[in-house]
Amino acid sequence: MKPETRDAAAKRLARIEGQVRGVAKMVTEDRYCIDVVRQVQAIKAALAALEGVILDDHIATCVDHALKGDDMEARREKVEELVAVLGGRKK
């Protein structure tokens, strides 16, 4: 992972952690259910955005390196990993 991606991911994760703590507090305080659900949706959106950042970095580094290399098995493995993760399957 590129250092700038790692830093950006760490900042996003810290923000998401704060959101999760906030939702936990809302639940403890018995806040209105729809308000809690909206915050959960915001967390899910933030996680999806983080996932995109990490995947973009993976494609630009690991996958690009494998595709430029001569090792056909490494190429196949990287493509299979992407297909699996984008398709929601475990490899």
Side-chain angles (χ1 to χ4, degrees), residues 1-87:
M1 189 178 289
K2 293 183 274 185
E4 58 270 19
T5 303
R6 188 175 27 254
D7 292 344
K11 287 177 185 175
R12 286 173 183 251
L13 284 166
R15 191 168 31 251
I16 291 166
E17 180 182 11
Q19 288 177 295
V20 171
R21 289 180 193 276
V23 170
K25 184 177 178 188
M26 290 174 76
V27 169
T28 304
E29 294 173 350
D30 199 26
R31 299 276 298 272
Y32 185 56
C33 297
I34 295 302
D35 292 341
V36 175
V37 169
R38 285 192 176 122
Q39 291 304 310
V40 169
Q41 290 172 334
I43 293 167
K44 287 169 50 178
L47 285 169
L50 173 62
E51 178 182 352
V53 167
I54 294 170
L55 278 172
D56 286 348
D57 183 86
H58 178 66
I59 291 167
T61 56
C62 301
V63 175
D64 186 61
H65 177 74
L67 292 178
K68 288 180 179 173
D70 294 330
D71 186 348
M72 289 302 290
E73 185 57 33
R75 290 179 184 182
R76 186 178 346 274
E77 182 180 319
K78 294 303 176 198
V79 170
E80 287 176 0
E81 284 176 344
L82 278 176
V83 169
V85 76
L86 293 174

